[in-house]
Amino acid sequence: MTYDEDKELKPLWLVGYGSLLFKPPLHDKAISKDFMKFPGYLNGFARRFWQSSYDNRGTPEQKGRVVTIIPAVDIVSNDEFKDDILRYELRSHKDADKIINDPRLLHDALKVWGCIYYIPPKYAREASEYLDLREKDGYSTHKVSFNVVLDSEEAQDKTIQNIMRELPKNKAGEPVIKSVVYVGTTENESFIGPENTKKTADIIRVCKGDSGPNIDYLVGLNDSMKELDPSGRNRSHDPYLEDLVSLVNDA
């Protein structure tokens, strides 16, 4: 991402749905601990370990697996994606066969839980440059609308109120933030497409890269998803991720 000089004095809102959930931008600097982080979700996407990794979680000879998000429109237009979505995200929908072929209905049915970081203006450029390097294996920047879900304590915090005050709200009254997200699109060289979860688990179990073992990535993501839902309301339930974790642990 080329940083926009005209926006240098504006904060950076950054969505995390994979490693950013447990490894913040500029994680090796003390300032990263001060970045505000809020839970929430994206509509219209499915999260999958369909992106290979030759650097952070693998090598060119033994590529690992990391997550990307697949938009509803790509799922509808690619028949090879549909079985996986029907197996997981739509398995409880009585109209699944209709939803899977309708971009609007599928967009409304899909939800990816994650987080969003508020990075102050003075660190925005540095964070962008850092992320461009970290996400160099096939990821590109996109703008998405992220729905912020605040708990009662956060909602009463004056600092947070000041940040959220001018933001638009969704139908549930939740703040919606136009945000930056890094995505491995279906056209990038490292996108592998649908893969049997048993095969994915076998790869994750043995691969490692510059950022450590691939299995640490999976564990970190799964643990972070649990932290998004301390109330136990099962709001951030991800059956695909849970199935993958189970397969890795059962070996």
Side-chain angles (χ1 to χ4, degrees), residues 83-120:
D83 285 346
D84 213 71
I85 304 301
L86 288 167
R87 178 183 178 187
Y88 292 109
E89 283 82 357
L90 297 185
R91 65 184 181 184
S92 299
H93 287 264
K94 63 179 181 179
D95 296 323
D97 290 340
K98 178 181 179 181
I99 294 171
I100 196 67
N101 292 302
D102 187 312
R104 182 183 60 81
L105 293 177
L106 186 59
H107 179 278
D108 293 343
L110 296 180
K111 182 182 290 187
V112 171
W113 275 86
C115 71
I116 190 168
Y117 288 95
Y118 173 83
I119 301 175

Side-chain angles (χ1 to χ4, degrees), residues 226 229-235:
K226 294 176 182 176
D229 192 20
S231 66
R233 288 180 293 168
N234 211 28
R235 66 184 187 184

Side-chain angles (χ1 to χ4, degrees), residues 30 74 77 79 102 115-116 127 180 182 196-197 201 215 219 230 238 251:
D74 284 352
S77 61
D79 288 341
D102 187 312
C115 71
I116 190 168
V180 172
Y182 281 77
N196 180 275
T197 49
I215 196 169
V219 171
D238 186 333

Side-chain angles (χ1 to χ4, degrees), residues 21 30-31 37 75 109 116 122 124 128 156 171 180 195 216 243:
L21 275 164
I31 57 172
K37 177 183 175 183
I75 295 168
I116 190 168
K122 62 180 177 179
S128 294
Q156 298 302 316
K171 292 181 180 179
V180 172
E195 183 173 68
D216 288 355
D243 192 17

